[in-house]
Amino acid sequence: MTYAERLMRAAFISDENLRDSLKEVLSELDLSAREFSRISAIPQSTLYKIMSGHREPNITTLRQIVKTIREIEGGDRGFIAVIAARPVLDEIKEKRMRIGDRLLVLREYSATNIEEAIVAAVRAERDGAAALVCAPIVSPTVEKLLSIPVATIIPKDSLVRAIEVAARKIE
């Protein structure tokens, strides 16, 4: 589910759910309320009042919030899914990347074996991923299943470090 979809679902449940979801989404996107205000053209005071529960968002403001989140997510292009083991995903510091003039959202899918990686790839495409990044052991299979582009992680420094660790373990 995209961030925009999360916000819309939350808005239908309650203002409190919307408020909590908006805070979570901004946190996951690593955006402050000030930055979101600047990007969305929603006055900072309005955003703070909504997030603190001192104001209910009107429909125009809600539309602008969702529209801005969709733009941040890459519009109709979705997000880039990254499938890897949890320790690898924990190394990803940025949840969004600027590539050229586009701001792309990264969404993590944890997998510990090939089967989980294939399931995660299918789930990512269903969730709206525009592209997928995964390990070389699973990428040929995933490319046959999905209709979105698949990029393969090619470890360089981590491979050398792993070999060094293995060598120390056999000493």
Side-chain angles (χ1 to χ4, degrees):
M1 179 182 323
T2 66
Y3 291 127
E5 289 168 343
R6 275 176 48 191
L7 288 172
M8 288 186 293
R9 278 191 181 177
F12 280 111
I13 295 170
S14 71
D15 289 334
E16 183 179 339
N17 259 0
L18 173 63
R19 181 173 51 251
D20 293 343
S21 291
L22 180 58
K23 289 177 186 177
E24 288 171 11
V25 165
L26 292 182
S27 174
E28 290 173 26
L29 291 172
D30 196 28
L31 283 172
S32 67
R34 171 178 278 160
E35 290 171 309
F36 188 75
S37 169
R38 182 182 50 77
I39 295 167
S40 67
I42 297 170
Q44 192 173 342
S45 61
T46 300
L47 208 51
Y48 279 116
K49 287 175 185 173
I50 291 168
M51 292 174 63
S52 66
H54 291 96
R55 177 176 172 184
E56 295 176 4
N58 63 34
I59 192 70
T60 304
T61 303
L62 181 58
R63 283 185 186 136
Q64 187 61 33
I65 289 169
V66 170
K67 178 182 176 227
T68 303
I69 293 295
R70 281 188 175 142
E71 288 170 1
I72 290 170
E73 288 180 305
D76 295 332
R77 293 177 294 233
F79 56 91
I80 295 179
V82 180
I83 299 174
R86 177 53 43 206
V88 174
L89 295 174
D90 288 343
E91 292 296 315
I92 299 173
K93 302 297 180 217
E94 297 294 322
K95 301 296 184 213
R96 56 193 172 104
M97 294 177 67
R98 185 163 297 283
I99 308 289
D101 63 341
R102 294 187 334 192
L103 184 62
L104 298 171
V105 172
L106 304 178
R107 190 176 299 175
E108 303 172 349
Y109 290 81
S110 180
T112 57
N113 59 47
I114 293 173
E115 181 180 299
E116 287 179 4
I118 292 169
V119 170
V122 171
R123 185 177 305 123
E125 186 176 44
R126 284 184 186 161
D127 288 348
L132 185 120
V133 175
C134 63
I137 196 152
V138 74
S139 63
T141 303
V142 167
E143 285 177 322
K144 292 174 187 170
L145 294 171
L146 305 181
S147 60
I148 59 175
V150 176
T152 304
I153 299 168
I154 305 294
K156 292 180 182 169
D157 296 334
S158 62
L159 177 61
V160 173
R161 281 194 306 261
I163 293 168
E164 290 169 350
V165 168
R168 282 194 293 274
K169 288 183 176 185
I170 60 174
E171 290 177 348

